[in-house]
Structure formats: structure tokens, C-alpha cells
Amino acid sequence: MKRVFSIALAVAAMILPRFGQSTDPFEEKLSPERQINQALNRLTFGPRPGDVEEVRHIGLAKWIQQQLHPDQIAENPVLEERLTPLKSLRMPISEAVSKYSPDQNMGMMMLMEPPFAVINKLPQSVRFKIMNGTAEERTAALDAMDPELRSKVLAGLPDNVAEHTPKYKDEAEKARKALQDERRAQIRKRNPQLPDLLPADEMADARSGEKDRVMAVIQKLDPDKRTDVVALLPPKSQAFFPEYRREAQVRRTPRLAASHDLKEARMYRAVYSNRQLEEVLVDYWTNHFNVDSTKNVGMAQNLGHVLIGSYERDAIRPHVLGHFRDLLLATARHPAMLYYLDNWESMAPESFNVGPFAPRRGIVNGVPNSIIPNGLLRLAHGLNENYGREIMELHTLGVKGGYTQADVIAVARCFTGWTVRNPENPEFVFAPFMHDFGEKTVLGHRIPADGGEEDGLKAIDILAHHPSTAKFISLGLARHFVADHPPEALVDRMTQTFMKTDGDLRAVMETMFRSPEFFSEGAWEARVKSPLEMAASTIRAMGAEMTDAWSTVQRISDMGQALYAKAEPTGYPDVAETWLGATAVIARMNFGAAVASGELPGVSVDTSRWQGMDHRSIAKALLGHDASQQTLDAIATGLEGRNPSPAVVASLVLGSPDFERR
């Protein structure tokens, strides 16, 4: 184990960006061939076999323009096929909440009435004697009961009460044991184990992991039973039946089903989409406007799992190559963000006491009271600054963007009343009686009193058009697509484009992609892949087929990137050091080895095309360019005296610093 960790640390050191060149590497131009590789490694989730030749044939500049206009690119039919079973991706929010929210499925968890509930239903005088009376009073009350009721009451008696009821002490113990046995039987019936469903010989076949044997067992069963059996199989066998695995997830944990669909879709899109730049940008902006789908929020407990798919589909995806102001507004109004940063319950502290805006039954300032989420009047205690702070610090201006605490409060006041209709139908709505109608000043801009919802729109405009926002957004994009520490001159040019084009993100991207810095030695392999990028690029480079994405999603989490579940609003830091702990590097190396050897459930590979090729040629096929001498020497040393299969060589290449960088 110590040797493995030392190897991982050595790899991490080699992966880190390289500094110390005597001349400015951002002034050194890449060769035409390397420019193609650079574009493929930054605008896509990594080249597939044949991609370098395709870009060379189309022409690099034209190919980049195509990626900047994804609506002009025909989508991969394989992707459509993979996404079709993921039904929640296409559901309106209200339908998804109805199908997957925990409230709709709470009955599934209630197997039988809690034993103490029986005591609570007794007449008050009888209940008092049972719980607080003398032993004689308790015994007399129990004597007077029907035997069936008495048994249920005894099962719910606390130990210290039963202990002081000598006549019924033993019977109480037997009643509790009988109740426990009944519960176990119900649980086992509802959640059967494999021995309950299959005879011993078929159980062995089902657990074998051999596709033919497993499929023969499953095909004999009726559809309902197939789902129960597949749910209990090892991951490798589950991957043969993704449709039954998903159905089993819905039955066991319905509230997670929608977010599971989205995680699988993220992988399928990263691997198969022809609109690669769009998918890279969806990943980037989803992280920039981070929402943790696992956060519990009051009455909306666990709704994040259900809302996150709509958040990406409706708030992020349509705007990644549009105007930044539209993207900012779409995220601000989406219920996933409203819940995550608590703005849904933010209201002016004195709003209930302001005459014309005080709440009353029926219509309030033209808006029905029914829009108020159940319990909102109880939950909302006043102004919540969370969103007001994060929209400036993380979404627009940046931490050094020139705002003050007074600006935080003013922006938070602007967004009071931006809430959701109710947990069952959590669409955005403006609630006037929650709003602060006073005058506000945001970053020196006066917002007059009585503006209502317009206050929030004005705050959005002020922030979206601020020079600090132009600089902060340009820096983030340059960091992601060029280098952890991008040249200031490039960031300045991107900032100018942002300001001149009213925040046109496509124009900002064009400025970056046309820059000499983007195609420079300073940008070459200057970025380290995130776990998602690592996984997708591995599968793409191997030319592998992915028929079930769930095991890959779990491996990405093992590498340190739980999808849609980063608790902090910062999202995952977009720099190399984020991903290079020793344990994470080992997980990355193991992932590459699993894919290359065909051991990753749901992913199949064919390495026969490399049969007879040396390690140098296999490395070039996987990287899209010649491997560094450092990597070639390390692989040669590792293979010395051996006659390895192409899969072994591929696993070494996939674990190399050359492949870990992009």
C-alpha cells in the first residue's frame, strides 16, 4: 500500500502545472497538429478515435465555429437512445414532484402503526392510568381491556412501566417480541432477499457476473420479480439490465430517482454528444451556479433531488452560449436556487405591518394568498442574506468585486418576495406582501421605493453589467479553458468583449478561442481533468460503449466529485490541486485500469485493434498525439521483460500524467 501511495504522489507531482520556463510560454505558438489536440481537449470531453482526422478534414477554425453553434450540429442518435429511458429528464417540475417527492411515498415507509400510537388513542382517563397511575390502577385498566387491545397496549409500554406491572410483565415482553417478529416479516415481505426469490442453483448463476448465465435466470422471471431480483445483484450483473435497476431504485428510494437520471444523463452526454462544447459549458456553468441537490430545506425537505434536473435543463442549458444576464436571471428564479440559498423564505422584517401590503385572506396586492408555501408564515422570520451575498461573491462580481455589507443587505432586500408557489408545485412566484418596498441603493445605483418584483430585475441588471462581473466571468472561463493562472492580457480582452457585447458569452468564448494564448505552449496540458472529465475522456479515448452509466457515476464520486452534491455554494474549485490528493489519484488510476480491462460495469471495450502495436503507438492512439518521453520511458520500464496485452498497455497510458492533463 505504501508503494501505491508513493506512486500516486509521484503521478500527482507530475500532473501539476509546470512553471519556471525562461521565456513566456504563452508567447510560444503550438504546432498545427498540437492546436487540433488542444482544441479537442478543451472544447470536448476528450478526443475519440478518429476525431483528430475529422477536425483536420473540416478545418480547425470551422470546427470551432460549429461547436460554438450547437444547434447547427446533428445530435448523435446513440445519445438519444441512451437518454430515452431517463423519463424524469422530460417531466415538468410539478409532475416530477408528484411522482418522486418523499411526501407521495411516505406511506411506503409506514409498515404498520407505531405501538405507542395505540396508547395515545386510548381515552384520556385510561391513558393516564396506564402511563402515570399506580401499579394497581394500571393493572385494573389492563384487566378491563379486550385481550387483542391489551396485547397492543402491552407491546407499546415502556420498559420502566412494564417493570412495575407484575401481573402483565411477562405478557408485555411476549407482546413486544411478537410485534418485532411481525415487523421483521413485513419488512422481509416488502424487501425480500435473493434466497426468498430464487432457488440455490439460479441464485449462483445470478451472482456469477457472467452475462449469459445471469440473463438466462432473469428472462425466466415475470417482470415484477425481475426488478426485485436485479436490485439484489452485484453491480456488474445489474449493468446488464439498466431498466430494471432504475425501476428498483424508484421503488426503494423514489426521491433520489430524478437526480440519478440526471447523473446518468450527464455521463451519456459527455461521452456521446456531438455538441461537445455545449456539454462542457453546461458542466462549467452548473458548477459556477452550484446547487447542492442533497440539501434539506424545511418544508421542502429533499426536493433538491427532484428539482436539480429542471435546474440544469431550464435554467442552465438554454443560456450557456447566450447573454450572461439571461443566465443569471434564470438561475435566480429557479426553485432549486431559491431553496438552496434560502431566498424562498426571505421577507422584509416589517412586511406584515406595512398597511397596503399586510397579508390578509383572499387577494393581497393582486396575488392570492394560496401562493404562500405551506408553513411559510411560520418559517420566514425576516430578511435572509444568503442569496444576496452569493450572487455577488460567487455568481457575478467576485470576492474582490467592490461590494460592501450594505450592498449585500440591499440586494437581499431587492429579492424579498422571490419565492415558490408551494412544495407540491414549486414554480417561481413573486409574493408582494413578503417584499421590502422601501428605497434601496445597490453599488451606487438608486432603486426607488415601491418597485416590487422589478427591484430584483434591476439588481440583476446592475450586477450583470458591472465591470467587476465582466472581469470575474472572463477570468473564470479563461481559467477553465486555458490555464489555472491565465495571462492577464487575455482576460482583459475577454472582459472588453463582455462589456461591448452586453455579456454575450458566445462572443467572449470566440475571443478566447481565437487568441494566441489559447493555442500556446503555456496552455498546452496546463489543466488537470476533473473526475468527470477523466471518466468521460477515458471512455471516449478507448472507443468504449456505455450501456449503463451508474457504476461510472459512482466511480466519479470515489475520485472526489459527487455530481450535483457539492455542499458549499462555491462549487468545486476549478484548479488542479482540487483533484490531486493521493487517494483520489489512486482512484483515477484504478478507473483507467477498470475500463481498459473491461471490468467497469456498463462499459465494454474492444482492444483488438491494437493487437501487435507497440506501447508508443497505443499511447498515441489514446492521447491523439505522441506521448511525452517521460511517459514512454515510464511505460517501457513497467513493461520490461513482459509481453503485455493491449489492455495492460492502455491502462498504463490512461494512468499517466499525459492523459491526466488536458
Side-chain angles (χ1 to χ4, degrees), residues 106-287:
M106 199 169 291
M108 296 172 60
M109 308 302 294
M110 302 298 292
L111 297 177
M112 57 193 307
E113 189 176 49
F116 199 79
V118 177
I119 297 176
N120 286 339
K121 291 181 179 179
L122 295 173
Q124 184 176 355
S125 59
V126 177
R127 186 169 67 248
F128 181 85
K129 291 177 182 178
I130 294 293
M131 299 303 300
N132 304 103
T134 64
E136 291 76 13
E137 290 174 330
R138 186 180 309 112
T139 300
L142 290 168
D143 286 341
M145 289 181 185
D146 172 88
E148 184 177 348
L149 175 60
R150 182 169 59 236
S151 179
K152 292 179 180 179
V153 170
L154 289 171
L157 281 185
D159 287 344
N160 63 327
V161 175
E163 181 71 24
H164 296 287
T165 315
K167 180 177 179 179
Y168 288 108
K169 180 179 177 182
D170 292 341
E171 188 175 338
E173 186 176 345
K174 290 177 182 178
R176 279 197 295 270
K177 185 178 184 305
L179 181 65
Q180 290 170 356
D181 291 343
E182 184 180 354
R183 282 183 174 278
R184 291 192 192 100
Q186 286 196 18
I187 292 171
R188 188 67 177 248
K189 185 177 180 180
R190 186 177 287 276
N191 300 290
Q193 300 304 301
L194 216 50
D196 302 322
L197 300 170
L198 297 174
D201 57 336
E202 291 184 2
M203 191 163 59
D205 287 340
R207 287 173 168 167
S208 69
E210 298 175 22
K211 187 171 184 178
D212 291 342
R213 291 174 65 187
V214 177
M215 294 194 77
V217 172
I218 300 302
Q219 287 169 354
K220 292 179 184 178
L221 305 173
D222 64 71
D224 281 345
K225 198 172 181 181
R226 289 177 188 177
T227 301
D228 291 335
V229 171
V230 169
L232 299 167
L233 296 181
K236 184 175 181 180
S237 297
Q238 284 188 340
F240 301 143
F241 311 95
E243 68 278 18
Y244 295 126
R245 177 188 56 72
R246 289 190 195 101
E247 179 58 32
Q249 284 181 331
V250 172
R251 290 186 185 182
R252 293 196 308 270
T253 52
R255 67 183 179 83
L256 301 179
S259 62
H260 285 181
D261 280 357
L262 183 62
K263 292 172 185 178
E264 290 191 72
R266 174 99 314 274
M267 280 312 308
Y268 287 135
R269 286 170 167 145
V271 170
Y272 285 112
S273 179
N274 291 337
R275 301 166 181 173
Q276 279 285 292
L277 177 59
E278 181 177 54
E279 296 307 324
V280 170
L281 287 170
V282 168
D283 178 51
Y284 173 80
W285 287 113
T286 301
N287 189 60

Side-chain angles (χ1 to χ4, degrees), residues 507-545:
V508 175
M509 301 293 289
E510 283 187 289
T511 297
M512 178 171 54
F513 293 151
R514 289 177 177 173
S515 72
E517 293 92 340
F518 183 77
F519 289 112
S520 71
E521 289 289 344
W524 177 253
E525 294 187 340
R527 297 283 292 146
V528 171
K529 296 173 182 176
S530 70
L532 171 62
E533 293 165 344
M534 173 63 186
S537 64
T538 297
I539 294 167
R540 285 170 64 83
M542 291 293 294
E545 280 294 308

